Amino acid sequence: MKRRPWWQDRWITGLAAGVFVLAGMSFALWTLDKTMLPKTPLTTLAGKPTDLATVAAGKPMVVNLWATWCPPCRLELPFLAAAQRQEAGINFVFVDQGEDAVTVQRYLDAAQLTLSNVLLDNNLRLGREVGVTVLPVTLFYDARGKMMDTHLGALSPSLLAEKLNRLRPPSK
């Protein structure tokens, strides 16, 4: 059996180590990117383009991904609306997944829900960017745009209160 020259073994080991380090760094950057506020283009009910950073305006933010056809979404929207009215220091954003403005507005009117910051994600990009495929999902971001928590499925009022307590800035 012919033995390789010493430099060939080290070259292969170095190449393998480099690939391993590069893959690890790529994974770390991909994971870090998932924890920051996505830059997904969204649309207001009036048809104006916007994004989550614009709506956040430097405040902590709760982002609820929902749809009018989703029963668990319908269940949690009334108490999310109440929390939106009570929590002046936290921005709530309701991002409808895949429906048009007329459908969303009809549902909100019929359910007698008054929500601020209702946005449309017609292409379902936001869900893909944050790595979720179920509804509802609620994302909790701090004032710097870092994801602090997530919840898949319908929230209960008590669970929402617990998550909001962690999101609020500490009292001085």
Side-chain angles (χ1 to χ4, degrees), residues 40-51 94 118-122:
T40 310
L42 302 167
T43 309
T44 66
L45 286 178
K48 180 181 174 191
T50 191
D51 60 28
F94 302 90
V118 177
L119 304 177
L120 304 174
D121 181 14
N122 295 332

Side-chain angles (χ1 to χ4, degrees), residues 12-128:
I12 291 170
T13 303
L15 179 64
V19 167
F20 180 74
V21 167
L22 184 61
M25 288 173 57
S26 295
F27 178 76
L29 288 173
W30 177 80
T31 303
L32 177 65
D33 194 41
K34 296 284 185 197
T35 64
M36 296 307 291
L37 197 59
K39 295 176 170 74
T40 310
L42 302 167
T43 309
T44 66
L45 286 178
K48 180 181 174 191
T50 191
D51 60 28
L52 293 175
T54 301
V55 177
K59 289 184 180 180
M61 184 167 55
V62 176
V63 179
N64 182 255
L65 280 66
W66 69 289
T68 64
W69 51 261
C70 166
C73 301
R74 291 175 165 214
L75 184 68
E76 70 180 2
L77 279 176
F79 65 81
L80 284 167
Q84 183 180 46
R85 287 188 301 274
Q86 295 168 354
E87 296 287 341
I90 299 174
N91 281 331
F92 283 75
V93 183
F94 302 90
V95 184
D96 180 86
Q97 297 295 288
E99 297 176 296
D100 61 54
V102 172
T103 302
V104 173
Q105 192 60 62
R106 272 192 202 135
Y107 170 74
L108 295 174
D109 292 344
Q112 298 179 350
L113 285 170
T114 303
L115 301 174
S116 298
N117 302 324
V118 177
L119 304 177
L120 304 174
D121 181 14
N122 295 332
N123 298 323
L124 308 174
R125 280 186 57 193
L126 182 58
R128 284 193 302 270

